Structures are given as structure tokens and as C-alpha cells.
Amino acid sequence: FSHVFIVGVLFAVGVIFSGCTASPISDQNNGDKKQVAATIFPLYSLVEEVAGDTVEVVQIVPPGASPHFFDPKPSLIRELQGSEAIFSIGADFDIWTESLTESLPNAKMIPLDQYVALRTGEVHNHVHNDHDEHEHNEDEHGHDDHGDEHQDEHEEEGIDPHYWLSPENAEIMVEQIAQELSAIDPENSEVFTQNAQEFITELNQENSGWTVQINTLPNKEIVTFHDAFAYFADHFGLEVVATFEPFAGQEPTAQYLAELKEEIEKHNIRGVYLEPQMPKSVIEQFAKDNNLSVGVLDPIGGVDGRMSYIELIEYNIQAVTRAQ
């Protein structure tokens, strides 16, 4: 009888404890945690580094979706209702966040472009029209490209918004994130400051190794898919001599490809890079026709092997190194 009784007690205790284990969804609303959101994965990762377990962080744009003209669905708006702040890239990159201001009147919009030195006048000064080439083209993650038929304002104005790909800028971003979170949750200000400093220390250590790797490369000239890696190149002493697409989302003409081939031969380039979020068939054919290797440079991450900001930069450093 005693054996049966003990088993019964253990079972009851197990049920009680299993009932106390919250699901991931309900856990988001547990306790008094404040909630903030970030638009794209690299920014989400930096906010998470600072927030730690103290603040709930929501990632808005899923990996593989186009961040330029993302369309927030009503279900997402509902998920963001409790957010006290929306961290964005700004520089007209995630301009759709402006549409969230009416739906989320209590959320402070925090574009981080105001804290960094933006590159201007050095990117392709074109109008961005994704028309027929890959309208509603699904990428490898099954997300729809939507065939953006909008004017890409940041490229028209010559402002390059991809500043997060510079570790130096990431350090600035993290410091500002710590200040903003401290204003939202003053009781945990010391936690945010400490988390930020620990991340910056780790980032600087990694950056030293990355710099050594890049400095050993015999050729520091690269050809990227579109104008997304200028800050990355500047930081590491690389030079983007050409891009495969004249501007993001529009496939190159035959004349453009002929000129690109000349640049590649002139600079003795051995490989080109595609991006996971963009169609790749044309660049793969171009590489095959010209005996070039094809690598992948990822500006966004958020997938296996690129599940943190540091992993994302590490991935891109290794991609550049392997192409040599």
C-alpha cells in the first residue's frame, strides 16, 4: 500500500509542476516584463543582447521576407499591442513602420539611423521598380517577394541604410539601445548597461580576429549582389568594385552584364556573391558562363548558423575568405 501511495503522490506532484510550465506563447505575457519590438533580425539580435531576460523582444520581419516593403498584417499588429517601443533601422529602409504609429499609439518609434554616420551619394542613384522579372517570386523560405512596385526612396536619394553591417556601428547601436531600454525600464538600467558592455567586449574581441583574417587576403576587391555591403567593406578594408544588380530587385540588362564582366576581368575577381533573400538563377548562370565561383553574403541572417549578430558577421567574413 505504501508503495502505491508514494507513486500516487509523485504522480500528483508531477502534474502540478507540469501545469506550472508555461508554453512559449503564454510565457510572453507572464509577470511584469515590458515588451519592445525590432524590425529586422540583426537589430532584433542587438536588442536581445541588451535586454537579456529582462524585457520581451519581438522580431517583426520574419527571415526571408523583404524588409524594404514589408506589409504588417493585422495579426502582427495585435502581437505588437503591448510593445512600449519599436526599434527600426530608419534611413527609409523600414519606412513601413510609419504605418504602425496609428495602430500602436503607445509605442515609441526609435529609428537608430540618427546615431550613426550614414553613407550618402555613393550608392546607385536609381528608382527601384520590381516589375515583371520576379513578381510574387517565393524565396527559399517560402516567403513572397510581392514584386515591389514602389520607388526605393533611400536609393533615389543616395542614402545607404545598411549601416548595421559595420561592427563599429553595431557598438553605437547597442549603446543607444541600452539608453532607450533604461528609459523604458529604469529599475533594470544597470542590467542593460552591463549587458551592453559585455556584448561590446565580445564584439571587439571577435572583430580583432575578423580583421586579421581579412588583412591576410591577397585580393580585397569583391563583387556583391546589390549595394548592401559598403559599410561592411569600409569597416574591414574591402572594396566593392561592382554589384550584380544595378539596384536591389531589378535584374541586370545584357549591356550591364557585359560591363560587369569587364570590371571582373579588370580587377581579377574570382567569385561573385548572391544574397539568400534575392532570386539567384541569373547570377548563377552569369557565374557559370564566366567561370566564377558563387558565394553567399547575407545582410539579414536569422537562420541556422546566423542566429545572432556576431554569427551573421562571422558568416560573412568566412564567405569572403573562402572565395579567395
Side-chain angles (χ1 to χ4, degrees), residues 1-13:
F1 170 81
S2 60
H3 175 73
V4 173
F5 176 78
I6 292 171
V7 171
V9 170
L10 291 175
F11 175 78
V13 171

Side-chain angles (χ1 to χ4, degrees), residues 52-320:
D53 297 328
T54 307
V55 174
E56 201 69 45
V57 187
V58 176
Q59 179 182 337
I60 298 178
V61 181
S66 170
H68 286 276
F69 302 105
F70 180 71
D71 183 20
K73 300 292 188 291
S75 58
L76 174 62
I77 301 298
R78 287 193 294 272
E79 185 181 356
L80 295 175
Q81 282 300 323
S83 298
E84 300 200 21
I86 307 291
F87 290 93
S88 67
I89 295 300
D92 290 336
F93 179 80
D94 37 21
I95 196 169
W96 45 266
T97 54
E98 293 179 3
S99 68
L100 298 176
T101 54
E102 290 186 11
S103 305
L104 305 169
N106 296 323
K108 180 183 179 182
M109 298 295 166
I110 306 173
L112 293 178
D113 61 327
Q114 59 189 308
Y115 302 112
V116 300
L118 295 172
R119 293 173 55 92
T120 57
E122 296 185 43
V123 296
H124 291 294
N125 197 14
H126 292 285
V127 174
H128 177 170
N129 288 301
D130 289 356
H131 280 92
D132 300 324
E133 285 93 354
H134 57 276
E135 188 166 359
H136 299 295
N137 180 37
E138 287 191 349
D139 62 25
E140 62 190 71
H141 302 288
H143 294 287
D144 195 334
D145 243 311
H146 297 303
D148 304 326
E149 296 181 359
H150 305 271
Q151 188 181 78
D152 191 339
E153 296 179 16
H154 73 257
E155 292 194 18
E156 183 192 31
E157 296 171 1
I159 298 172
D160 183 349
H162 304 89
Y163 59 84
W164 68 86
L165 289 168
S166 160
E168 182 180 359
N169 285 338
E171 181 174 335
I172 295 171
M173 293 165 73
V174 162
E175 290 172 344
Q176 293 301 323
I177 290 166
Q179 289 188 26
E180 294 289 351
L181 290 181
S182 295
I184 293 169
D185 188 0
E187 291 183 4
N188 290 300
S189 177
E190 290 185 10
V191 174
F192 303 138
T193 301
Q194 182 178 342
N195 288 347
Q197 288 306 313
E198 288 177 357
F199 173 78
I200 289 171
T201 298
E202 181 183 3
L203 181 64
N204 287 335
Q205 290 173 347
E206 295 290 343
N207 184 63
S208 296
W210 294 331
T211 302
V212 169
Q213 278 188 268
I214 295 299
N215 285 345
T216 62
L217 297 181
N219 186 356
K220 296 183 177 62
E221 297 173 321
I222 60 175
V223 173
T224 60
F225 192 82
H226 84 290
D227 281 323
F229 284 88
Y231 294 92
F232 177 87
D234 277 358
H235 180 83
F236 290 109
L238 298 166
E239 182 183 358
V240 179
V241 296
T243 59
F244 178 75
E245 286 190 344
F247 42 94
Q250 187 170 45
E251 292 182 358
T253 62
Q255 179 181 351
Y256 187 91
L257 289 179
E259 294 171 355
L260 177 61
K261 181 179 179 180
E262 289 181 8
E263 285 295 310
I264 285 173
E265 292 174 349
K266 174 183 175 182
H267 293 276
N268 193 29
I269 301 294
R270 299 176 183 177
V272 292
Y273 298 95
L274 54 81
E275 293 176 20
Q277 297 83 14
M278 300 289 187
K280 58 185 180 180
S281 57
V282 178
I283 192 171
E284 287 179 334
Q285 187 60 51
F286 176 81
K288 183 178 179 182
D289 293 342
N290 293 280
N291 195 30
L292 299 167
S293 65
V294 178
V296 177
L297 285 176
D298 187 353
I300 302 294
V303 297
D304 287 346
R306 287 158 265 171
M307 288 302 294
S308 72
Y309 178 84
I310 286 178
E311 282 188 0
L312 175 63
I313 301 300
E314 168 72 18
Y315 175 89
N316 289 319
I317 291 292
Q318 297 307 323
V320 172

